[in-house]
Amino acid sequence: VPETHLPTWNTPQKATFCAAHVPHIDMACAVLQPPSPVEEMFGRRPAEPSAGLAFLPATLDRLATSAADLRRFLARVHFAHETVPGMMPGALYHPTEAFDLAKARYEHVWMPLLASENSASPRKLAAPLDVQWMHHLHRLDPDAYRVDCERAFGRLVDPADPFLVAGDGAPSEDQAAESFARAAWNALAPEWPFDLEDALIDHRRRGGRLPRSRAISFDSSSCDTVGSATRQGGFLWQGLPRET
């Protein structure tokens, strides 16, 4: 924002504000205090600005990177049927066999696995696509996620990497993170296949029964994951490129 657009404070106030909040005057963005209804009715002068925010290039870069990562992740979920044989289009948006199995894999394996990781030196882990999807849906309701984590583990469990995935028949973006995740998964729950295609085959072979789980039980029922999935499907649709 050009300096001429900043509030008309006196020089000492402006200098103090800029020194405390922004490295360059051009990066200042004033947040104005809106006038009250009484002031609007009687024409009183609006209050002076009460705060200022600095939008640093590094912050904008991180935001842009995260937005691009989210879009790629949602697209990978949306088109999972193209890389996972036997999976129907849109199967992860509704309470289908794949959706219910993903939730079970998330609760019985992935969350206990993350909780067992050393929080002081966390590793990057590429979760199976369907499992990462469930983790994403659960965290869209922060209150429910916190309640479920504290009930099961006594603390909040952060994702290893919120958009890093594997096990869906497509190349992983981080081979080391996939290797770490596979090793940790197989050590904790060898009866549960890591790859989504193998998990679906195993689930059908078992007649819908789940493998045994040796890990701590985790329950994500505080969150409406089906509702979250439906809303995310619409969000992705709005963000997809359109033919002009």
Side-chain angles (χ1 to χ4, degrees), residues 122 145 195 205 210:
Y145 184 70
D195 293 281
R205 181 179 60 81
L210 298 175

Side-chain angles (χ1 to χ4, degrees), residues 225-242:
T225 52
V226 174
S228 294
T230 302
R231 290 187 292 272
Q232 283 292 283
F235 176 77
L236 172 62
W237 176 254
Q238 295 176 17
L240 287 174
R242 297 288 191 272

